[in-house]
Amino acid sequence: MDSKIIRKTFLDFFESKTHKIVPSAPIVVQNDPTLMFTNAGMNQFKDYFLGNKVAENKRVSDTQKCLRVSGKHNDLEEVGIDTYHHTMFEMLGNWSFGDYFKKEAIEWAWELLVDRFKLPKDRFYATIFEGDSSENLEKDNEAKDIWLQFLPEDRVLNGNKKDNFWEMGDTGPCGPCSELHIDLRPQSEVDKIPGKDLVNQDHPQVVEVWNLVFIQYNRLANGSLENLPEKHVDTGMGFERLAMAIQQKQSNYDTDVFQPLIQWVAKKAGVAYGKDEKIDIAIRVISDHIRAISFTIADGQLPSNNKAGYVIRRILRRAVRYGYTFLGFKEPFLFEMLDILVDQFEGVFPELTDQKDFIAKVVKEEELSFLRTLDNGLKKLDTLTSGNSKVIEGEIAFELYDTYGFPLDLTALIARENEMEVDEDGFNKEMEVQKNRSKSAGKQTTGDWNLVNEGEETLFLGYTDVEATTQVLRYREVKQKDKVQYQIVLEKTPFYAESGGQVGDTGYLRFGGEKIEVIDTKKENDLIVHFVKKLPAELNGSVEAVVNETKRRLTENNHSATHLLHAALRTVLGDHVQQKGSLVNDKVLRFDFSHFSKMTDEEISEVEKIVNSRIRANIKLDEKQNVPIEQAKEMGAMALFGEKYGDFVRVITFDKDYSVELCGGTHVPRTGNIGMLKIVSEGSTAAGVRRIEAVTSFQAEKYFNEKISLLTELEEMLKHPKDLRKTIENLMNENLTNQKKIEEMNKQQAGQIKDQLKNAVKEVNGKNLITYKGEFPSADSMKQVSFELKREVENLVLLIAAQINDKPMLTVMISDDLVKDGMNANEIIRKMASAIKGGGGGQPFYATAGGKDLSGLDEALKLGEEMIAAS
């Protein structure tokens, strides 16, 4: 049975059990401060478990794109090394929200695996929670009794709290779980060691197939458990492992989920998979990582140097590095694999098909960039291995890892080839420092919700109102870096919570005579949370919620302007333009979009012209709420990749023939409210993504006034010339001429210094030593003189201690023959730099340093000469 049929059979089975089949949530998580990526199928249903929302459908099923590379589930370094870890994987799941419980979940799991998929029932083991006396949790005999209908008692195994009690996090919904494991070993191995002895022992062929979680408790911040008002079922089955079992393979990578990718890589590299372990690991890494890279980009997360973007960049660079090192790929190759992925997931995850070209271009640009970085890293390693030192310091090894993408094992391999070793303890210390820095920066203690009034969902009134009379439903305390804040949930609110690029509202809550400032509003999953610095004396009773209306209206101007801008960009540049991110607040709008070249001045001008004409047309907002998603698409509404939309959506239209978008933000009633738009910058943010920053309304007016004021000042400074442009051009040409004269004078001065130095050679231990202390016209001229002397003087050791623009600068130049004999300019410059309270570096033959203490130049030269005399 091929993998496409396996996936379809699973979904069809649960549809026959009256489950609604829902689409996968984006792999990049929005509005959840506890997660960066979707790492389990249940993530998109957290609000149902937490009681923040009531499920419209009590039974659902799906296949969810998941990524496990950071935090609790950090599998990245294992991927490819073994044959069962992955970064991106599919999680097949079925859920019950207060409907069925253990009996149906277990019976259906057995029916699907044994009756439909025809897996051998004598190879299955079930685990159940054995109980925990420290928490007064009893053994899950209910699950055990159900399993005994299908399995003998010696195949129903007890599991401890670590393996068989599932928890969402430090707090929140939790409960016992029952895992179904399958033994895929040959019978000869089964006869030697029974499968029950290998369950949960990380054996690659005795694996967990399905985890059935029975959510019935809530973990409080104080560690205690309370019963949930309703019991839920949350199941997760790894699609790739299921395919391995059904297709009777020994590894996930041997299934048709990975083999098309693996065989493509092997063919391109001119190797055979399965012949050499190092090559096999590289091929597995690449075949796994391209999936993670492609799906995250498709869902809107581009590689970058921050947060989720940095994780994706690390994954991509790991794949490139393995291809470079073990398969000889010196040119981009990952981007060529998109065709295979698109074919594999056609009809399942359409976002790959819809954005194939964009994803490929982003990946290719990232590959090109990293290949250059990789080359620079190898050059740095060459410098290190050509000196006298026999150890690569831990700090340097970590820099190679963090900056150049060199894992420790690669640095160690190159070191061994050069009869060197790596200070691994020092590397580990640097790694620990970075981890601790990240932990301390993000460490936050969140208290339990304290119930004030009954209620579940917050009614949002902000599309029409900026004030409302309401009441507090719950609150909690949050501590971070010794600061205490409070989060408040209201029964109804006019405050817009940050999402879709629009910042959260600020304002105040009035409790009787006490006024509490709201400093921000955010979403936690779908819960609207108001952030305040203090609590009122009395939380009960009526609350007046008031939004900062001035800030809201200016933010609305910018949000509506982004819609007009998006449409104008597609008109001018083409339909390939897609929104890739945005920020709208009361001061500026920032709009990221897919496009692969810098916009010309003419294109920017045309976009501005179109947008401002639409503003002047004073188009009325056409807002439609609760539109069926399919109907919205028929209306031509643009959906953003990476956003999760429900069955019913909100459609924002400014002229049905111009701008129709799905959007949850707040907007102007008419475009005339925006006043005007001015683009203030256009540039690149990532491969294939451009960013426009623009201002509207009062900020646009302020921008023009500042430009006019600057122009007036220039005219006054230049005595009101008739032709301002011509006058400035003449000044620039005059400045250029003078600059050339100065450069020529510097060149002559440097030439004189060179002649002086050439005649000041001293022979020291068979070396021609030249020392100089004095002024140099520039750093460039000092470098030029150094290289000229290197060409003209044999066995040269040059030490320069110069004053340039009132700052100390040092240079060490050594001839190639002396470098081969073991001399190293880096070692000398570091010693000399200590005298001027500075630092520097370079290559074994040439190094420079700067500092703060001019008075130390004599001492610097002395230190350098002492090192030469001692060598």
Side-chain angles (χ1 to χ4, degrees):
M1 188 182 292
D2 71 40
S3 57
K4 291 183 179 180
I5 293 176
I6 292 171
R7 186 191 293 110
K8 185 177 185 302
T9 300
F10 176 90
L11 296 174
D12 287 349
F13 176 82
F14 280 102
E15 190 170 38
S16 74
K17 304 294 186 186
T18 66
H19 287 62
K20 179 176 175 59
I21 308 303
V22 298
S24 169
I27 204 167
V28 182
V29 175
Q30 306 286 343
N31 303 324
D32 188 338
T34 66
L35 284 176
M36 196 178 285
F37 301 104
T38 297
N39 62 13
M42 57 71 60
N43 291 159
Q44 67 169 307
F45 306 118
K46 281 174 72 171
D47 272 335
Y48 302 148
F49 299 136
L50 290 166
N52 297 335
K53 289 179 70 176
V54 177
E56 294 176 12
N57 301 286
K58 293 289 189 180
R59 300 180 178 187
V60 298
S61 180
D62 74 352
T63 178
Q64 171 67 51
K65 301 170 291 186
C66 297
L67 191 68
R68 289 187 180 176
V69 289
S70 58
K72 177 183 173 183
H73 300 289
N74 191 342
D75 295 333
L76 182 57
E77 297 308 321
E78 299 297 326
V79 174
I81 306 299
D82 60 35
T83 60
Y84 51 91
H85 275 104
H86 301 292
T87 50
M88 180 268 168
F89 61 97
E90 283 183 70
M91 184 73 85
L92 304 171
N94 60 289
W95 287 267
S96 164
F97 307 116
D99 187 20
Y100 62 83
F101 202 45
K102 296 178 185 178
K103 181 177 184 296
E104 293 86 348
I106 292 172
E107 289 178 350
W108 290 340
W110 188 262
E111 180 184 349
L112 178 60
L113 291 176
V114 175
D115 297 344
R116 298 292 179 92
F117 286 134
K118 307 299 182 185
L119 288 169
K121 58 186 178 182
D122 62 344
R123 289 300 188 95
F124 279 112
Y125 296 86
T127 63
I128 56 114
F129 180 50
E130 65 186 5
D132 189 304
S133 58
S134 67
E135 301 220 49
N136 293 319
L137 291 170
E138 295 181 355
K139 181 177 178 179
D140 193 355
N141 287 313
E142 181 183 358
K144 179 180 180 179
D145 290 343
I146 301 169
W147 281 120
L148 289 176
Q149 297 175 33
F150 309 106
L151 291 167
E153 191 154 0
D154 64 348
R155 289 180 179 271
V156 181
L157 312 175
N158 290 334
N160 59 26
K161 186 178 172 184
K162 175 180 174 289
D163 291 324
N164 281 85
F165 193 87
W166 181 90
E167 305 206 40
M168 182 185 292
D170 293 335
T171 61
C174 54
C177 63
S178 191
E179 298 171 341
L180 204 52
H181 297 252
I182 190 168
D183 187 348
L184 300 172
R185 296 174 299 153
Q187 187 60 45
S188 58
E189 291 189 29
V190 174
D191 292 340
K192 294 175 185 175
I193 304 174
K196 66 179 181 179
D197 294 343
L198 299 174
V199 168
N200 280 328
Q201 298 300 312
D202 291 329
H203 192 286
Q205 274 85 52
V206 182
V207 294
E208 174 196 330
V209 177
W210 209 339
N211 190 12
L212 314 177
V213 181
F214 309 120
I215 297 176
Q216 58 193 95
Y217 303 110
N218 183 41
R219 174 79 67 185
L220 301 177
N222 64 12
S224 63
L225 295 171
E226 65 178 10
N227 288 313
L228 288 172
E230 289 188 313
K231 295 178 180 179
H232 312 291
V233 170
D234 160 23
T235 86
M237 176 158 58
F239 171 64
E240 295 79 8
R241 284 189 181 179
L242 177 63
M244 175 178 70
I246 293 173
Q247 295 176 9
Q248 299 180 24
K249 303 295 184 181
Q250 295 298 299
S251 159
N252 295 354
Y253 291 99
D254 295 336
T255 68
D256 67 345
V257 177
F258 287 97
Q259 275 300 305
L261 296 166
I262 284 172
Q263 294 307 323
W264 183 91
V265 176
K267 183 178 179 181
K268 185 170 182 67
V271 298
Y273 180 71
K275 302 293 185 183
D276 183 296
E277 182 62 16
K278 288 184 178 179
I279 286 174
D280 290 354
I281 288 171
I283 293 175
R284 288 197 293 266
V285 166
I286 292 165
S287 301
D288 172 275
H289 287 11
I290 187 60
R291 289 157 41 100
I293 296 160
S294 301
F295 275 106
T296 48
I297 293 173
D299 279 348
Q301 181 57 64
L302 299 171
S304 71
N305 287 329
N306 297 303
K307 298 180 180 178
Y310 178 64
V311 175
I312 303 312
R313 179 163 280 169
R314 274 189 65 208
I315 295 173
L316 188 147
R317 290 183 167 191
R318 187 171 187 256
V320 172
R321 198 271 301 171
Y322 268 95
Y324 184 99
T325 305
F326 298 104
L327 302 177
F329 292 155
K330 308 301 182 189
E331 299 292 332
F333 64 94
L334 287 171
F335 76 99
E336 297 180 49
M337 302 174 75
L338 263 294
D339 286 333
I340 299 172
L341 278 184
V342 167
D343 178 66
Q344 284 187 307
F345 292 106
E346 188 175 9
V348 183
F349 301 120
E351 57 270 26
L352 276 185
T353 304
D354 295 341
Q355 298 187 89
K356 185 186 81 170
D357 292 342
F358 172 72
I359 298 166
K361 287 178 180 177
V362 171
V363 171
K364 185 178 181 181
E365 289 296 320
E366 280 288 318
E367 289 186 87
L368 283 167
S369 174
F370 181 54
L371 284 167
R372 289 191 291 269
T373 303
L374 199 59
D375 192 48
N376 291 335
L378 288 170
K379 287 176 181 174
K380 186 173 181 69
L381 262 176
D382 286 343
T383 301
L384 293 168
T385 55
S386 61
N388 284 330
S389 176
K390 291 297 180 183
V391 178
I392 295 176
E393 296 173 8
E395 188 177 343
I396 300 297
F398 184 76
E399 181 191 354
L400 287 165
Y401 165 81
D402 198 41
T403 304
Y404 299 100
F406 279 55
L408 183 61
D409 58 352
L410 177 61
T411 303
L413 176 65
I414 295 171
R416 283 195 299 272
E417 290 172 352
N418 289 274
E419 297 182 351
M420 297 177 70
E421 56 185 42
V422 178
D423 174 16
E424 294 193 17
D425 289 340
F427 174 89
N428 292 331
K429 285 178 183 175
E430 292 293 324
M431 178 71 83
E432 195 63 30
V433 167
Q434 187 190 63
K435 286 180 179 177
N436 290 337
R437 194 184 303 127
S438 300
K439 286 178 183 175
S440 62
K443 193 170 183 179
Q444 177 174 298
T445 304
T446 304
D448 292 322
W449 285 112
N450 297 286
L451 189 67
V452 179
N453 290 290
E454 292 292 337
E456 293 177 344
E457 295 187 51
T458 298
L459 178 63
F460 177 61
L461 306 173
Y463 292 140
T464 56
D465 301 316
V466 290
E467 296 185 20
T469 300
T470 181
Q471 63 177 354
V472 174
L473 294 182
R474 63 186 98 163
Y475 73 93
R476 68 183 177 189
E477 181 183 86
V478 177
K479 292 180 181 178
Q480 187 170 26
K481 289 186 176 179
D482 299 324
K483 290 183 179 179
V484 176
Q485 287 185 348
Y486 298 90
Q487 298 176 355
I488 293 176
V489 177
L490 302 174
E491 179 185 40
K492 51 188 176 181
T493 182
F495 283 80
Y496 180 82
E498 178 185 324
S499 64
Q502 181 175 333
V503 297
D505 280 333
T506 58
Y508 64 86
L509 303 176
R510 188 183 295 280
F511 296 81
E514 191 174 3
K515 187 175 175 181
I516 303 292
E517 181 187 6
V518 176
I519 57 176
D520 202 356
T521 312
K522 293 181 181 290
K523 276 188 178 180
E524 184 170 311
N525 300 302
D526 283 332
L527 193 67
I528 298 175
V529 180
H530 307 75
F531 288 71
V532 299
K533 290 182 179 179
K534 66 175 185 176
L535 291 176
E538 180 54 58
L539 281 159
N540 268 311
S542 179
V543 182
E544 185 182 357
V546 181
V547 171
N548 181 331
E549 186 172 3
T550 300
K551 182 181 175 184
R552 161 75 83 80
R553 298 307 176 208
L554 291 172
T555 302
E556 288 176 348
N557 290 341
N558 285 331
H559 198 156
S560 297
T562 61
H563 285 224
L564 304 182
L565 177 64
H566 192 183
L569 286 166
R570 289 171 65 86
T571 300
V572 173
L573 302 178
D575 290 342
H576 66 280
V577 169
Q578 295 281 347
Q579 180 175 334
K580 292 298 173 186
S582 69
L583 168 70
V584 287
N585 58 31
D586 56 322
K587 293 181 175 61
V588 69
L589 71 87
R590 194 173 73 199
F591 188 77
D592 297 348
F593 59 98
S594 52
H595 189 56
F596 282 86
S597 60
K598 179 178 173 60
M599 289 181 68
T600 65
D601 292 342
E602 292 76 17
E603 288 169 337
I604 291 173
S605 179
E606 183 62 22
V607 167
E608 285 182 333
K609 181 180 175 183
I610 292 172
V611 173
N612 284 312
S613 70
R614 297 291 173 169
I615 290 172
R616 288 191 296 272
N618 202 24
I619 302 166
K620 184 179 179 182
L621 166 68
D622 180 5
E623 176 206 21
K624 290 183 171 63
Q625 296 189 33
N626 297 315
V627 180
I629 184 72
E630 293 305 320
Q631 182 183 330
K633 290 177 181 177
E634 289 171 8
M635 293 166 61
M638 281 195 292
L640 303 183
F641 294 109
E643 290 288 336
K644 184 179 184 302
Y645 299 103
D647 294 335
F648 297 89
V649 294
R650 180 168 176 258
V651 180
I652 296 297
T653 303
F654 291 108
D655 182 347
K656 63 181 177 62
D657 296 320
Y658 181 68
S659 173
V660 185
E661 293 195 24
L662 305 182
C663 182
T666 62
H667 288 275
V668 297
R670 285 184 173 274
T671 59
N673 290 35
I674 299 169
M676 70 177 96
L677 174 136
K678 176 61 186 171
I679 295 174
V680 296
S681 70
E682 188 274 345
S684 173
T685 63
V689 178
R690 309 296 297 178
R691 171 174 291 172
I692 278 177
E693 289 198 3
V695 288
T696 65
S697 187
F698 299 120
Q699 291 294 331
E701 189 177 311
K702 179 183 176 184
Y703 176 87
F704 283 115
N705 286 338
E706 287 175 350
K707 293 294 182 185
I708 293 168
S709 176
L710 179 61
L711 194 62
T712 302
E713 286 180 31
L714 284 171
E715 287 180 327
E716 290 176 355
M717 289 169 63
L718 298 171
K719 310 299 183 186
H720 299 281
K722 289 182 180 179
D723 189 337
L724 181 61
R725 182 191 294 272
K726 185 66 176 175
T727 300
I728 291 174
E729 284 178 354
N730 289 339
L731 283 172
M732 290 174 66
N733 289 332
E734 185 179 330
N735 182 60
L736 186 61
T737 300
N738 290 333
Q739 187 65 38
K740 287 180 179 177
K741 289 179 180 177
I742 292 170
E743 288 174 2
E744 184 59 34
M745 290 171 61
N746 286 344
K747 189 176 180 182
Q748 291 176 7
Q749 185 181 350
Q752 293 170 357
I753 294 172
K754 188 195 91 172
D755 292 340
Q756 175 188 339
L757 294 179
K758 198 172 178 183
N759 293 322
V761 176
K762 294 185 291 185
E763 196 274 331
V764 178
N765 294 338
K767 308 173 187 71
N768 288 320
L769 174 65
I770 299 176
T771 61
Y772 174 78
K773 176 187 173 259
E775 293 192 3
F776 250 97
S778 67
D780 285 341
S781 62
M782 184 165 66
K783 180 178 180 180
Q784 180 184 339
V785 166
S786 300
F787 275 85
E788 286 180 2
L789 286 170
K790 180 173 181 276
R791 285 193 295 270
E792 297 174 19
V793 179
E794 292 183 353
N795 292 330
L796 172 69
V797 178
L798 173 67
L799 308 178
I800 297 177
Q803 178 178 334
I804 301 175
N805 297 327
D806 296 324
K807 291 182 179 178
M809 288 285 292
L810 305 175
T811 290
V812 177
M813 175 67 81
I814 301 174
S815 68
D816 293 337
D817 288 342
L818 295 177
V819 170
K820 288 178 182 177
D821 289 341
M823 290 195 71
N824 192 310
N826 269 311
E827 295 175 3
I828 299 171
I829 204 76
R830 278 199 288 266
K831 186 75 171 177
M832 292 174 67
S834 64
I836 60 169
K837 297 179 181 177
Q843 296 170 282
F845 73 92
Y846 175 68
T848 60
K852 302 174 183 177
D853 187 2
L854 269 171
S855 67
L857 289 176
D858 285 320
E859 178 66 18
L861 271 184
K862 181 183 175 185
L863 290 171
E865 289 183 66
E866 288 174 353
M867 290 186 73
I868 303 306
S871 64

